[in-house]
Amino acid sequence: GAVVSQHPSRVICKSGTSVKIECRSLDFQATTMFWYRQFPKQSLMLMATSNEGSKATYEQGVEKDKFLINHASLTLSTLTVTSAHPEDSSFYICSALGGTQPQHFGDGTRLSIL
Amino acid sequence: AQKITQTQPGMFVQEKEAVTLDCTYDTSDPSYGLFWYKQPSSGEMIFLIYQGSYDQQNATEGRYSLNFQKARKSANLVISASQLGDSAMYFCAMRERVVFGAGTILRVKS
C-alpha cells in the first residue's frame, strides 16, 4: 500500500486563489520531505527540501513567498501555492525520506488555475 | 555537485524483448546510491530498484536489473521480457540531493 499520501490529487480553481497541498508519510517518520514540480513529459524539478521543525531550503529560482512550505511534524509537510495564477498550473509531487529507505513518493497533485 | 544524464528521450521495444535504459552520473561523493523509478501516465512515481555504490553485486528485482559499472559511472536499467504495462517514463536518480535525470519514455509494442 501507499506509504506517502498526497492530497488533493486534483485541484481546479480560479486565479488568485491560494491552494494547499498536503503530504503525509503513513508508516514511517519522514525527517526530510521534498517538493517537486513537473511539466508534461519533463523531469521532476526539485522546488524545495523541508526538514521537520526547520525552514525549508528552496532551490534557486523558486519564490519562497509564492510557494510556502511547512513541515510541522515528522509525518506531514504542506505546500501552499499563494495567489495562484495560470502559470502555476502544473503537476506537483512530494516525496519523503526516512532512515535508509529510498524516497517514497506521493501520487501527485494536478493543479489547474483558470 | 551531482548530475544524472539520461540520453534517450524515447525508446521503443517489442513485447517480450529486453530493453536497456541508459543512465550516467557524476558525483564526487565516495558513497552514493542510485535509484530507478517508473512513472506511468497517471503520474505516480514507482520505485523499481536501488544500487549502492559499495554493493558488490549488481542489483536485481524481478524483471529489473541494474548494469552498474562504477568506473564508467553508469547505472543502466535492464528490463527483461517487456510487457505492455512497462510503457511509462523512467527516471534515474541519485539519493543525496535527490537529483533526477531527464527521463526516458519507453513504449512497448505488441
Side-chain angles (χ1 to χ4, degrees), chain B residues 85-99:
Chain B
D86 294 334
S87 295
M89 179 83 113
Y90 288 80
F91 292 102
C92 180
M94 294 192 81
R95 175 187 168 92
E96 297 309 322
R97 252 194 106 247
V98 206
V99 177

Side-chain angles (χ1 to χ4, degrees), chain A residues 34 36 38 41-44 46 59 91 93 95 97-108 110, chain B residues 35 37 39 41-47 50 89 91 93-98 100-103 105 107:
Chain A
F34 303 94
Y36 298 87
Q38 186 182 29
K41 293 186 171 59
Q42 293 189 24
S43 187
L44 280 69
L46 181 64
E59 295 299 303
F91 185 66
I93 191 165
S95 71
L97 266 180
T100 58
Q101 295 192 31
Q103 285 190 86
H104 291 289
F105 285 85
D107 286 344
R110 294 195 187 277
Chain B
F35 300 84
Y37 291 88
Q39 186 181 39
S41 57
S42 50
E44 71 270 27
M45 295 287 281
I46 302 168
F47 166 71
Y50 168 78
M89 179 83 113
F91 292 102
M94 294 192 81
R95 175 187 168 92
E96 297 309 322
R97 252 194 106 247
V98 206
F100 282 84
I105 298 176
R107 291 286 177 255

Side-chain angles (χ1 to χ4, degrees), chain B residues 8-35:
Chain B
Q8 306 154 313
M11 293 275 289
F12 283 95
V13 64
Q14 196 67 39
E15 193 178 11
K16 300 180 185 177
E17 291 186 351
V19 63
T20 298
L21 306 184
D22 294 342
C23 172
T24 57
Y25 61 90
D26 193 17
T27 180
S28 56
D29 293 332
S31 177
Y32 51 88
L34 292 152
F35 300 84

Side-chain angles (χ1 to χ4, degrees), chain B residues 26-77:
Chain B
D26 193 17
T27 180
S28 56
D29 293 332
S31 177
Y32 51 88
L34 292 152
F35 300 84
W36 276 92
Y37 291 88
K38 171 184 177 181
Q39 186 181 39
S41 57
S42 50
E44 71 270 27
M45 295 287 281
I46 302 168
F47 166 71
L48 295 179
I49 197 167
Y50 168 78
Q51 179 81 48
S53 58
Y54 288 113
D55 291 345
Q56 295 297 315
Q57 294 185 330
N58 287 347
T60 61
E61 285 287 346
R63 293 186 299 111
Y64 303 108
S65 61
L66 214 150
N67 183 1
F68 182 49
Q69 298 187 45
K70 195 171 181 178
R72 291 186 175 185
K73 294 190 175 181
S74 73
N76 299 339
L77 176 70

Side-chain angles (χ1 to χ4, degrees), chain A residues 51-114:
Chain A
N51 295 295
E52 185 264 339
S54 62
K55 289 184 179 180
T57 302
Y58 288 81
E59 295 299 303
Q60 194 171 11
V62 178
E63 298 176 60
K64 299 178 184 181
D65 296 332
K66 178 72 168 177
F67 300 100
L68 299 178
I69 291 172
N70 184 278
H71 192 161
S73 74
L74 283 170
T75 59
L76 174 64
S77 177
T78 60
L79 167 67
T80 301
V81 183
T82 61
S83 187
H85 292 287
E87 58 266 27
D88 299 323
S89 298
S90 193
F91 185 66
Y92 294 86
I93 191 165
C94 71
S95 71
L97 266 180
T100 58
Q101 295 192 31
Q103 285 190 86
H104 291 289
F105 285 85
D107 286 344
T109 298
R110 294 195 187 277
L111 176 62
S112 300
I113 309 297
L114 306 177

